[in-house]
Amino acid sequence: MSQPPTGSRFVLEGVVVRHDGGGGAPINALDGVALAIEPGEAVALVGPSGSGKTTLLSLLNGSTRPSAGRILVDGSDLTELSPRQLRLVRASIGTVHQDLALVPNLRVSQNVLSGRLGRLGFLASVRTMLWPSAEDLRSAHALLERVGIPEKLFERTDRLSGGERQRVAIARALHQQPAALLADEPVSSVDPARARDAVGLLRELSRERGLTLVVSLHNLDLARSFFPRLIGLRGGRVAFDAPPAEVDEAAFEALYELADG
Amino acid sequence: MSAARDAEIGRLWRSRPRSRFARASVVAMLGLVAWAWIGGGLVPSELLSARRLANLERFLGEVTPYPLQGRTFDLGVALRWAGDLLVERGLAAAATTLAISVAAIVLAAIVGAVLGAPAARTIASPEPWLPDPRRPAAPVAFAWRGLVTGSRAVMIFLRAIPEYLWAFLFLAMLGPTAWPAVLALGLHNAGILGKLGAEAAENASRREPQALRGLGASRAQVVAIGLLPMTLPRLLLYFFYRWETCVREATVLGMLGIVSLGYWIQDARARNHYDEMVFLILLGAAIVLIGDVVSAVARRVVRRAS
């Protein structure tokens, strides 16, 4: 019961996400994307800024509604779920946001324990925050140990460095006991050496827990060396979807070429 | 394994960073609440004695419009009564109330801008936004600091005296026209708008002003071309929010004898015409509600445009 046996399976069918574009013509952040991500798979989303990586991730965890098309998580269509069902699906998907999005003036333990909010009622969650059980604390401590900062358990989160905060965000996602882990540009908040560590850690964690892993990355080298499958996005469309060996330099360069260049 | 972990968690918990100040303020707050309830003379039984209940019943009887008292309800009569009241004094008083609020908030914005700009430390410093290549002479630095402190002190003074007391003061000086209300609301809100504006200026991003300053712009240029456009949406939000408050306060200030709605409310009460009084109070509520809606729409438009 504590660990789902396999990760989530994601299927996107003809997904379009249209933004109003601030008074101008509507912009399609995603424009007819169809793809499937199998349980336990590790996928890197690559592409320039504005290519739709973040939008795609926010579709997978049910925080953006598609303007058209369907998103299936383990067979259930996110656009057709009741609020309660949607909450359960969200609780099963851990996300490490680009800006980490931790509550800055809570203790690290509280931020980690907040990962379980999706499965708790209101009163139970308040109790967990104010008077965590020994079991909760053990679990939070073990997760922090796993990501390498156990001694920060009771520190205030805003006193931590960027790299440490990122690890707290990962621990929070893991405390969800998720079936999938999503990470949006996990390298943007840390220096290059730590970036490598962070991506490696995400990969290891998802492998040892059987989680589906989807990570958006600017850095092509990191994407190539850690992920068996790369999805290149450009202008809201899938430019390529292949193992790194089959994606050559020319394909990468085409991905980043300026549209009007 | 688990015991070792628990021991480690216990050690981390005992050495956790903690704030004495936060604890002390929680204790102080609980103490204050207990004191206010027990020692402050708020005895609940005073609210509901038998005599008071009888009073309340009589009052409710008198609230019925006069032409309808002791008769069956007739909508036509009630509407005619309300229409007469509106034409007789309601509309004129409502217009005065509105005029007072508009004049007051414009006055507040002008005075607030004059006082608020020098109160922002980012604007009022010897070399604003960028590090000073030379050390400013001591008297120069002192003068700028004095300007900040001085303008803040004036604004604190304006805020410290409530609108009601300002109006009382001006009424004694100027007599019963609309001006005491305009000046009272204008000055009090100048203190508020000035402070909020100064804070908006201090909290605005420094990068853009720094870039403008760095290409040789003067202090006034940076404020007019950088800081003002950046903070304008926020300033307009404050402006409309305070205007909304002014509409409400302009009604209340009438009770001092200024011919806004509050005057006629007071007047009706003095003549024991409780039906009129309640009608005018409801009219006041309607005006405030309209003010709220206009302000909410204006702020929404500003927010969307920014």
Side-chain angles (χ1 to χ4, degrees), chain B residues 199-218:
Chain B
E199 266 174 20
E202 286 190 353
N203 295 336
S205 156
R206 304 170 66 100
R207 302 245 331 273
E208 301 82 354
Q210 277 169 349
L212 291 179
R213 187 71 181 166
L215 58 79
S218 73

Side-chain angles (χ1 to χ4, degrees), chain A residues 47-72:
Chain A
S49 315
S51 61
K53 303 191 297 290
T54 301
T55 308
L56 183 51
L57 286 173
S58 66
L59 283 169
L60 296 182
N61 65 12
S63 45
T64 296
R65 243 180 186 291
S67 315
R70 308 206 305 157
I71 298 144
L72 303 162

Side-chain angles (χ1 to χ4, degrees), chain A residues 143-208:
Chain A
L143 285 171
L144 289 172
E145 196 171 61
R146 181 64 192 83
V147 298
I149 49 168
E151 72 286 356
K152 302 293 182 189
L153 184 61
F154 296 117
E155 290 284 322
R156 257 179 68 133
T157 310
D158 50 7
R159 302 272 158 79
L160 269 50
S161 73
E164 288 166 346
R165 280 207 297 272
Q166 186 175 53
R167 277 149 200 273
V168 176
I170 295 174
R172 174 174 72 177
L174 290 177
H175 189 60
Q176 283 179 242
Q177 299 189 329
L181 203 51
L182 312 179
D184 191 7
E185 292 290 350
V187 300
S188 63
S189 53
V190 288
D191 62 61
R194 274 171 234 276
R196 205 170 179 84
D197 284 353
V199 175
L201 179 63
L202 286 170
R203 189 79 179 82
E204 249 173 60
L205 289 167
S206 57
R207 201 180 289 143
E208 75 194 26

